[in-house]
Amino acid sequence: MKLLSFALVIISIVLPWWKLKGGNSMISTSTKVLLIPPKIVTLTSSPYVVGGEIGSVPLEVTLVLNLISFLLIIICLLIVISLLVKNKSRKTAIASSILSSLLLFVAICLFFYTMSQITKIGIGSFTGRGELEIALPGGGSELLFCKWGAGAGFYLSIMAFLCIISASIYGDINMACPTLKKFFKNLSSLFRKIFDRVKLFKANKKWIRAKLT
Amino acid sequence: MSLYKLELRVKDTWGFAPSVDVSPTLTSNEMIEHVSLTAEIIRKGSYLFTNLYPSSYILRIGYKSFTVEKNVSIDEDKIIEITFPAEFEISFNVMNSYGMHLKEGDISVARGNKILQIPIEKGNAKVFLPPGEYDLKIYLQNEEVAKQKINIHGNKEINIVTMHTSYFHEGIKYLGIIFAIFSIIFLIWKKNYMQG
């Protein structure tokens, strides 16, 4: 599970965390917020223009994007540490897992807050759709219908966060604390019992119905 | 006393009529009161001075910091051709679709039927161009990765993001996907192994 979260964090670093897509029959445009490099890139394609430009953003935004990519690298290192010391020092493994999940949560929240602030000024909200005036490279602008929201990198980081959390609960903490292990074991057996009862009930219902007909 | 005409034909360094107004003026030291005579535009790049007394004149054309002066002696109707040397430094920063510098490629700058090819070195290219509107195209391994129009009226730094993808980002992405698949397979194997 931790290996999977490591892979998801690695992929999320290079994928856009926020994107805007729009177009009509002639023009298509896409804007993506990247962490490495910390830039907002817009690409436009039309019969006359192919290419794009780098969005001018305040220095604070670049700093935040840099900070998030730095946090993600730290998270990757922490996951690797927790995997390496899993059998030697369980406490270190637990600490690394908890810290990595906390840092990932901070990175996700920080990005969401920063992008919400930027989009509030420019287009109104973090996610949405509507007609926007898009500047074309080399001059001119066009009114295009656009959709915008979180990018693949953002979703993958949330998935990675859930993976780390579940790996921490079912792995490290579970192993380190016998009481908790017992609790989870009881909980899973309880769920299994409920599931079996439901299955049995359905089978009985089917049998009764078959008998009646 | 007869009066004469002077037709001025201005060309830029590419041989086209300048796309900016070069504001030609005529003055003469023989004038009692110094005045600058202005010309009438007859077509793009062609100017006409009329009702000129026979004398020696100083013809002046200019745009921003570029000026050209020429002594002209008028004793008949004349046509003069001048090449206006104004050229501005244009710096290109060429990037891939992830905003990282494009290591190689060519920039093609075209105006009319004239095309200039500039090689890209470490994402940068520099060229001197006369003012005007140009069609810009960027090629990477003979594939067009960007095109747009640019207007030159002075020194300019142009950032161009091309459609070419980043090998670094693609490499990391696919490596991550392989790693994710491997970890899922490992997870399933581990679960089966534990149960078995």
Side-chain angles (χ1 to χ4, degrees):
Chain A
M1 208 68 150
K2 276 183 190 168
L3 270 177
L4 182 63
S5 56
F6 174 78
L8 293 176
V9 173
I10 288 285
I11 303 168
S12 76
I13 293 175
V14 292
L15 288 179
W17 276 49
W18 187 88
K19 63 180 182 179
L20 179 147
K21 273 196 167 189
N24 56 26
S25 56
M26 299 279 279
I27 305 164
S28 71
T29 186
S30 74
T31 299
K32 52 190 177 187
V33 177
L34 302 164
L35 297 183
I36 299 175
K39 285 175 181 172
I40 297 179
V41 181
T42 300
L43 290 168
T44 308
S45 178
S46 80
Y48 313 106
V49 175
V50 176
E53 50 197 15
I54 304 290
S56 54
V57 286
L59 186 69
E60 291 82 1
V61 176
T62 313
L63 280 172
V64 167
L65 295 178
N66 265 325
L67 179 68
I68 292 168
S69 51
F70 178 71
L71 283 176
L72 292 180
I73 291 164
I74 297 281
I75 289 157
C76 285
L77 288 173
L78 285 170
I79 295 169
V80 170
I81 289 167
S82 75
L83 281 168
L84 290 175
V85 298
K86 197 178 168 184
N87 297 322
K88 288 175 192 169
S89 168
R90 199 155 289 278
K91 277 183 183 173
T92 318
I94 294 166
S96 318
S97 293
I98 292 169
L99 196 61
S100 59
S101 53
L102 268 173
L103 288 179
L104 195 51
F105 182 72
V106 168
I108 292 164
C109 290
L110 191 63
F111 180 80
F112 182 76
Y113 176 75
T114 311
M115 276 316 290
S116 299
Q117 294 302 309
I118 299 170
T119 48
K120 198 190 270 180
I121 305 160
I123 47 177
S125 59
F126 185 78
T127 54
R129 57 177 67 196
E131 280 198 324
L132 295 175
E133 198 171 346
I134 303 289
L136 301 175
S141 62
E142 279 281 337
L143 202 67
L144 299 172
F145 184 78
C146 301
K147 284 179 188 174
W148 60 92
F154 187 76
Y155 289 125
L156 283 181
S157 65
I158 292 171
M159 274 172 72
F161 173 72
L162 296 173
C163 282
I164 298 173
I165 289 287
S166 54
S168 301
I169 291 169
Y170 292 106
D172 302 330
I173 300 169
N174 203 354
M175 292 288 186
C177 181
T179 329
L180 210 65
K181 190 181 175 181
K182 208 176 171 184
F183 169 74
F184 280 119
K185 208 173 175 183
N186 289 339
L187 198 72
S188 67
S189 65
L190 182 75
F191 276 118
R192 201 169 292 144
K193 270 179 192 170
I194 293 167
F195 182 71
D196 287 344
R197 286 276 165 87
V198 171
K199 221 170 158 184
L200 194 73
F201 175 72
K202 273 184 182 172
N204 283 344
K205 212 173 158 185
K206 221 174 190 180
W207 184 79
I208 292 163
R209 203 175 285 166
K211 278 278 173 190
L212 285 173
T213 51
Chain B
M1 191 184 276
S2 20
L3 299 170
Y4 301 104
K5 285 178 189 170
L6 171 67
E7 191 184 327
L8 173 69
R9 290 175 184 169
V10 187
K11 283 180 179 175
D12 62 22
T13 52
W14 277 37
F16 297 106
S19 64
V20 289
D21 185 17
V22 291
S23 316
T25 54
L26 272 182
T27 53
S28 176
N29 291 330
E30 290 167 36
M31 287 174 176
I32 300 163
E33 196 181 322
H34 271 274
V35 284
S36 288
L37 303 172
T38 53
E40 157 197 356
I41 302 168
I42 46 175
R43 59 183 171 272
K44 212 176 176 186
S46 290
Y47 302 86
L48 186 69
F49 291 96
T50 49
N51 303 323
L52 298 174
Y53 286 100
S55 175
S56 61
Y57 290 89
I58 303 163
L59 173 69
R60 202 172 276 135
I61 57 171
Y63 177 71
K64 288 194 171 175
S65 60
F66 296 90
T67 49
V68 175
E69 280 186 5
K70 195 174 180 176
N71 292 319
V72 187
S73 168
I74 302 288
D75 46 13
E76 58 179 338
D77 286 348
K78 268 189 176 174
I79 296 171
I80 295 176
E81 284 193 358
I82 290 180
T83 301
F84 188 57
E87 279 189 340
F88 296 105
E89 189 184 295
I90 311 301
S91 303
F92 295 103
N93 289 322
V94 189
M95 290 164 267
N96 61 26
S97 61
Y98 280 78
M100 294 172 102
H101 280 298
L102 206 65
K103 281 178 188 163
E104 50 177 358
D106 287 295
I107 299 176
S108 152
V109 181
R111 186 167 157 216
N113 52 2
K114 200 169 174 181
I115 300 168
L116 185 73
Q117 291 272 353
I118 317 144
I120 300 165
E121 282 170 19
K122 291 174 185 171
N124 296 305
K126 220 171 246 185
V127 67
F128 286 89
L129 296 171
E133 194 184 75
Y134 296 84
D135 285 316
L136 187 94
K137 284 179 183 173
I138 294 168
Y139 294 95
L140 185 72
Q141 289 148 5
N142 295 322
E143 189 196 346
E144 188 187 280
V145 287
K147 68 171 178 183
Q148 67 180 68
K149 282 192 190 297
I150 51 166
N151 268 302
I152 308 297
H153 295 293
N155 293 334
K156 211 172 187 179
E157 197 178 309
I158 303 171
N159 293 317
I160 301 165
V161 178
T162 64
M163 292 293 187
H164 185 67
T165 190
S166 157
Y167 293 128
F168 168 76
H169 286 80
E170 291 293 306
I172 299 278
K173 190 169 86 183
Y174 287 114
L175 209 71
I177 291 168
I178 291 166
F179 209 71
I181 294 167
F182 166 75
S183 57
I184 290 166
I185 292 167
F186 180 71
L187 208 72
I188 295 164
W189 173 81
K190 202 178 157 188
K191 200 183 168 189
N192 290 341
Y193 179 77
M194 294 287 244
Q195 279 178 353

